[in-house]
Amino acid sequence: MKPAGHLQIAPSILSADFAALGDAIAMVERGGADLIHVDIMDGHFVPNITIGPPVVAALKRRARVPLDVHLMIEEPDRYIEAFVRAGAAMLTVHAEAVVHLHRTVQLIKSLGARAGVALNPATPVVALEELAGDVDHVLVMTVNPGFGGQTFIPRSESKVRSMRDLLRNAGSTAPIEVDGGIDARTAARIVAAGADILVAGQAIFGSADPAEATRALRAAAAAAVAS
Ligand code: DX5
Ligand code: ZN
């Protein structure tokens, strides 16, 4: 059984007030956020468009905890260096967006950031089999990427279990991050299945008190670890 301290809470600022992102970060840091999850969307890989490296650099100046940058963009290799320079401590690319995924993972690591690969709901865990020993973390999407506030896909639970098995068989202890539709109820289920990093947008910034919502999410997840 994993100790509860292993869990990390990564509030996604996608659901925060974009005119007050510095304040949003301060609120969730007060609630004990471990990471700040930053969603980068290009209007091609996903239908939505968000922000780029200059905004990430501005967030970096305000954040005390590491920035966890999730690239939902085509041709991520073209922008990886810019996002690492902007202050991404963790950089995640989508397996579906990259042809030479091994090269991309090595590129991120060579620049000094932690390299992660995200899988869409329709992408099987075996897509990561050959890279299980190379990645610093894995992101299992629990909704189809593109928007905050969507409904958790229940099948994700067994997918996280399979991913944990795949990593274990490769001798990897890389954390599994989950993203999409995570709230106190789904957090307990997905942590019991083996998730280590919980991304949450709407459950935190859709609440009247994001600091308290961050604490509540950790408590719900920790209860699942203990049970
Ligand atoms: C969705 C993004 C998520 C999003 C999650 O494509 O990758 O990080 O902010 O939002 P919620 O927690 O509201 O589902
Ligand atoms: Zn995300």
Side-chain angles (χ1 to χ4, degrees):
M1 189 57 69
K2 286 177 297 190
H6 188 73
L7 274 170
Q8 294 196 294
I9 306 294
S12 163
I13 56 165
L14 185 62
S15 288
D17 176 357
F18 267 37
L21 290 176
D23 297 339
I25 289 174
M27 283 193 283
V28 294
E29 286 182 340
R30 223 167 28 245
D34 299 285
L35 304 164
I36 301 296
H37 185 83
V38 184
D39 289 302
I40 309 298
M41 305 186 185
D42 66 352
H44 292 275
F45 182 69
V46 289
N48 208 355
I49 299 178
T50 56
I51 58 171
V55 178
V56 174
L59 298 174
K60 173 67 183 162
R61 291 194 284 275
R62 295 292 294 271
R64 294 207 291 246
V65 301
L67 298 183
D68 167 31
V69 177
H70 177 193
L71 299 183
M72 286 161 276
I73 64 176
E74 289 180 356
E75 298 190 68
D77 289 12
R78 293 174 57 194
Y79 302 98
I80 281 168
E81 189 171 350
F83 281 108
V84 174
R85 281 186 194 281
M90 296 166 66
L91 197 54
T92 305
V93 296
H94 267 263
E96 304 84 3
V98 179
V99 177
H100 304 291
L101 193 53
H102 179 273
R103 178 184 289 152
T104 300
V105 165
Q106 303 309 325
L107 172 63
I108 295 170
K109 291 166 90 165
S110 75
L111 293 168
R114 300 190 63 80
V117 174
L119 301 183
N120 280 335
T123 304
V125 297
V126 293
L128 266 190
E129 190 165 341
E130 302 302 327
L131 286 184
D134 294 292
V135 290
D136 293 311
H137 59 276
V138 169
L139 197 172
V140 174
M141 287 305 301
T142 45
V143 299
N144 289 293
F147 303 94
Q150 301 183 85
T151 304
F152 176 86
I153 297 172
R155 168 85 188 167
S156 311
E157 266 179 80
S158 63
K159 188 170 183 182
V160 165
R161 280 200 186 86
S162 306
M163 183 61 80
R164 181 50 71 209
D165 289 343
L166 185 150
L167 291 169
R168 192 183 297 116
N169 290 338
S172 168
T173 56
I176 298 176
E177 180 170 21
V178 287
D179 185 2
I182 304 296
D183 57 20
R185 190 179 53 84
T186 55
R189 285 160 52 189
I190 206 77
V191 166
D196 308 287
I197 305 173
L198 302 179
V199 176
Q202 200 55 38
I204 289 178
F205 290 108
S207 122
D209 185 345
E212 181 50 35
T214 304
R215 278 184 221 108
L217 188 61
R218 185 189 304 283
V225 176
S227 66

